[in-house]
PDB file of all heavy atoms in Angstrom:
ATOM      1  N   TYR A 134      26.392 -10.909 -28.775  1.00 98.00           N
ATOM      2  CA  TYR A 134      26.482  -9.972 -29.896  1.00 98.00           C
ATOM      3  C   TYR A 134      26.692 -10.745 -31.200  1.00 98.00           C
ATOM      4  O   TYR A 134      27.454 -11.723 -31.233  1.00 98.00           O
ATOM      5  CB  TYR A 134      27.660  -9.021 -29.714  1.00 98.00           C
ATOM      6  CG  TYR A 134      27.498  -8.108 -28.527  1.00 98.00           C
ATOM      7  CD1 TYR A 134      27.898  -8.514 -27.254  1.00 98.00           C
ATOM      8  CD2 TYR A 134      26.923  -6.848 -28.667  1.00 98.00           C
ATOM      9  CE1 TYR A 134      27.724  -7.690 -26.147  1.00 98.00           C
ATOM     10  CE2 TYR A 134      26.744  -6.023 -27.566  1.00 98.00           C
ATOM     11  CZ  TYR A 134      27.155  -6.443 -26.314  1.00 98.00           C
ATOM     12  OH  TYR A 134      26.979  -5.636 -25.232  1.00 98.00           O
ATOM     13  N   TYR A 135      26.022 -10.262 -32.243  1.00 98.00           N
ATOM     14  CA  TYR A 135      26.286 -10.768 -33.591  1.00 98.00           C
ATOM     15  C   TYR A 135      27.248  -9.767 -34.241  1.00 98.00           C
ATOM     16  O   TYR A 135      26.927  -8.574 -34.390  1.00 98.00           O
ATOM     17  CB  TYR A 135      24.968 -10.845 -34.370  1.00 98.00           C
ATOM     18  CG  TYR A 135      25.130 -11.398 -35.760  1.00 98.00           C
ATOM     19  CD1 TYR A 135      25.441 -12.748 -35.953  1.00 98.00           C
ATOM     20  CD2 TYR A 135      24.978 -10.596 -36.886  1.00 98.00           C
ATOM     21  CE1 TYR A 135      25.592 -13.267 -37.224  1.00 98.00           C
ATOM     22  CE2 TYR A 135      25.118 -11.107 -38.157  1.00 98.00           C
ATOM     23  CZ  TYR A 135      25.440 -12.452 -38.309  1.00 98.00           C
ATOM     24  OH  TYR A 135      25.591 -12.972 -39.569  1.00 98.00           O
ATOM     25  N   VAL A 136      28.447 -10.251 -34.555  1.00 98.00           N
ATOM     26  CA  VAL A 136      29.532  -9.343 -34.969  1.00 98.00           C
ATOM     27  C   VAL A 136      29.852  -9.549 -36.443  1.00 98.00           C
ATOM     28  O   VAL A 136      29.970 -10.687 -36.913  1.00 98.00           O
ATOM     29  CB  VAL A 136      30.815  -9.646 -34.123  1.00 98.00           C
ATOM     30  CG1 VAL A 136      31.879  -8.588 -34.377  1.00 98.00           C
ATOM     31  CG2 VAL A 136      30.500  -9.752 -32.642  1.00 98.00           C
ATOM     32  N   THR A 137      29.999  -8.454 -37.152  1.00 98.00           N
ATOM     33  CA  THR A 137      30.467  -8.491 -38.542  1.00 98.00           C
ATOM     34  C   THR A 137      31.794  -7.770 -38.608  1.00 98.00           C
ATOM     35  O   THR A 137      31.891  -6.614 -38.126  1.00 98.00           O
ATOM     36  CB  THR A 137      29.444  -7.779 -39.477  1.00 98.00           C
ATOM     37  OG1 THR A 137      28.153  -8.321 -39.245  1.00 98.00           O
ATOM     38  CG2 THR A 137      29.813  -7.952 -40.951  1.00 98.00           C
ATOM     39  N   VAL A 138      32.809  -8.431 -39.177  1.00 98.00           N
ATOM     40  CA  VAL A 138      34.136  -7.819 -39.258  1.00 98.00           C
ATOM     41  C   VAL A 138      34.509  -7.495 -40.708  1.00 98.00           C
ATOM     42  O   VAL A 138      33.886  -8.000 -41.627  1.00 98.00           O
ATOM     43  CB  VAL A 138      35.211  -8.733 -38.598  1.00 98.00           C
ATOM     44  CG1 VAL A 138      35.120  -8.693 -37.096  1.00 98.00           C
ATOM     45  CG2 VAL A 138      35.129 -10.150 -39.110  1.00 98.00           C
ATOM     46  N   ASP A 139      35.545  -6.673 -40.852  1.00 98.00           N
ATOM     47  CA  ASP A 139      35.906  -6.154 -42.178  1.00 98.00           C
ATOM     48  C   ASP A 139      36.730  -7.151 -43.013  1.00 98.00           C
ATOM     49  O   ASP A 139      36.769  -7.010 -44.229  1.00 98.00           O
ATOM     50  CB  ASP A 139      36.667  -4.822 -42.039  1.00 98.00           C
ATOM     51  CG  ASP A 139      37.962  -4.964 -41.270  1.00 98.00           C
ATOM     52  OD1 ASP A 139      38.101  -5.899 -40.458  1.00 98.00           O
ATOM     53  OD2 ASP A 139      38.860  -4.133 -41.451  1.00 98.00           O
ATOM     54  N   GLN A 140      37.411  -8.091 -42.344  1.00 98.00           N
ATOM     55  CA  GLN A 140      38.240  -9.049 -43.090  1.00 98.00           C
ATOM     56  C   GLN A 140      38.075 -10.423 -42.450  1.00 98.00           C
ATOM     57  O   GLN A 140      37.775 -10.510 -41.254  1.00 98.00           O
ATOM     58  CB  GLN A 140      39.724  -8.718 -42.946  1.00 98.00           C
ATOM     59  CG  GLN A 140      40.173  -7.356 -43.349  1.00 98.00           C
ATOM     60  CD  GLN A 140      41.595  -7.098 -42.784  1.00 98.00           C
ATOM     61  OE1 GLN A 140      42.493  -7.899 -43.002  1.00 98.00           O
ATOM     62  NE2 GLN A 140      41.748  -6.017 -42.061  1.00 98.00           N
ATOM     63  N   PRO A 141      38.322 -11.472 -43.210  1.00 98.00           N
ATOM     64  CA  PRO A 141      38.209 -12.820 -42.635  1.00 98.00           C
ATOM     65  C   PRO A 141      38.932 -12.939 -41.288  1.00 98.00           C
ATOM     66  O   PRO A 141      40.036 -12.389 -41.134  1.00 98.00           O
ATOM     67  CB  PRO A 141      38.846 -13.714 -43.705  1.00 98.00           C
ATOM     68  CG  PRO A 141      38.615 -12.963 -44.980  1.00 98.00           C
ATOM     69  CD  PRO A 141      38.725 -11.517 -44.621  1.00 98.00           C
ATOM     70  N   PHE A 142      38.302 -13.627 -40.359  1.00 97.00           N
ATOM     71  CA  PHE A 142      38.796 -13.648 -38.983  1.00 97.00           C
ATOM     72  C   PHE A 142      38.376 -14.941 -38.301  1.00 97.00           C
ATOM     73  O   PHE A 142      37.238 -15.385 -38.476  1.00 97.00           O
ATOM     74  CB  PHE A 142      38.169 -12.444 -38.267  1.00 97.00           C
ATOM     75  CG  PHE A 142      38.549 -12.296 -36.818  1.00 97.00           C
ATOM     76  CD1 PHE A 142      39.869 -12.226 -36.413  1.00 97.00           C
ATOM     77  CD2 PHE A 142      37.555 -12.183 -35.848  1.00 97.00           C
ATOM     78  CE1 PHE A 142      40.216 -12.066 -35.076  1.00 97.00           C
ATOM     79  CE2 PHE A 142      37.880 -12.028 -34.494  1.00 97.00           C
ATOM     80  CZ  PHE A 142      39.220 -11.970 -34.119  1.00 97.00           C
ATOM     81  N   ASP A 143      39.314 -15.542 -37.559  1.00 97.00           N
ATOM     82  CA  ASP A 143      38.950 -16.712 -36.773  1.00 97.00           C
ATOM     83  C   ASP A 143      38.717 -16.248 -35.323  1.00 97.00           C
ATOM     84  O   ASP A 143      39.685 -15.987 -34.590  1.00 97.00           O
ATOM     85  CB  ASP A 143      40.078 -17.746 -36.825  1.00 97.00           C
ATOM     86  CG  ASP A 143      39.799 -18.912 -35.881  1.00 97.00           C
ATOM     87  OD1 ASP A 143      38.693 -18.983 -35.310  1.00 97.00           O
ATOM     88  OD2 ASP A 143      40.709 -19.756 -35.725  1.00 97.00           O
ATOM     89  N   PRO A 144      37.461 -16.136 -34.888  1.00 98.00           N
ATOM     90  CA  PRO A 144      37.190 -15.535 -33.577  1.00 98.00           C
ATOM     91  C   PRO A 144      37.620 -16.385 -32.391  1.00 98.00           C
ATOM     92  O   PRO A 144      37.569 -15.904 -31.261  1.00 98.00           O
ATOM     93  CB  PRO A 144      35.673 -15.315 -33.595  1.00 98.00           C
ATOM     94  CG  PRO A 144      35.159 -16.329 -34.554  1.00 98.00           C
ATOM     95  CD  PRO A 144      36.219 -16.555 -35.563  1.00 98.00           C
ATOM     96  N   SER A 145      38.083 -17.612 -32.635  1.00 98.00           N
ATOM     97  CA  SER A 145      38.471 -18.442 -31.476  1.00 98.00           C
ATOM     98  C   SER A 145      39.679 -17.822 -30.752  1.00 98.00           C
ATOM     99  O   SER A 145      39.884 -18.109 -29.571  1.00 98.00           O
ATOM    100  CB  SER A 145      38.761 -19.876 -31.920  1.00 98.00           C
ATOM    101  OG  SER A 145      39.817 -19.872 -32.819  1.00 98.00           O
ATOM    102  N   VAL A 146      40.424 -16.942 -31.419  1.00 98.00           N
ATOM    103  CA  VAL A 146      41.548 -16.255 -30.726  1.00 98.00           C
ATOM    104  C   VAL A 146      41.037 -15.394 -29.579  1.00 98.00           C
ATOM    105  O   VAL A 146      41.787 -15.092 -28.652  1.00 98.00           O
ATOM    106  CB  VAL A 146      42.408 -15.413 -31.703  1.00 98.00           C
ATOM    107  CG1 VAL A 146      43.187 -16.292 -32.662  1.00 98.00           C
ATOM    108  CG2 VAL A 146      41.566 -14.380 -32.446  1.00 98.00           C
ATOM    109  N   LEU A 147      39.770 -15.033 -29.642  1.00 98.00           N
ATOM    110  CA  LEU A 147      39.211 -14.149 -28.580  1.00 98.00           C
ATOM    111  C   LEU A 147      39.104 -14.901 -27.258  1.00 98.00           C
ATOM    112  O   LEU A 147      38.861 -14.283 -26.205  1.00 98.00           O
ATOM    113  CB  LEU A 147      37.839 -13.624 -29.000  1.00 98.00           C
ATOM    114  CG  LEU A 147      37.829 -12.739 -30.282  1.00 98.00           C
ATOM    115  CD1 LEU A 147      36.392 -12.432 -30.691  1.00 98.00           C
ATOM    116  CD2 LEU A 147      38.602 -11.441 -30.025  1.00 98.00           C
TER     117      LEU A 147
END
Side-chain angles (χ1 to χ4, degrees):
Y134 295 87
Y135 182 69
V136 189
T137 308
V138 286
D139 62 335
Q140 304 165 53
F142 179 55
D143 174 7
S145 62
V146 291
L147 298 172

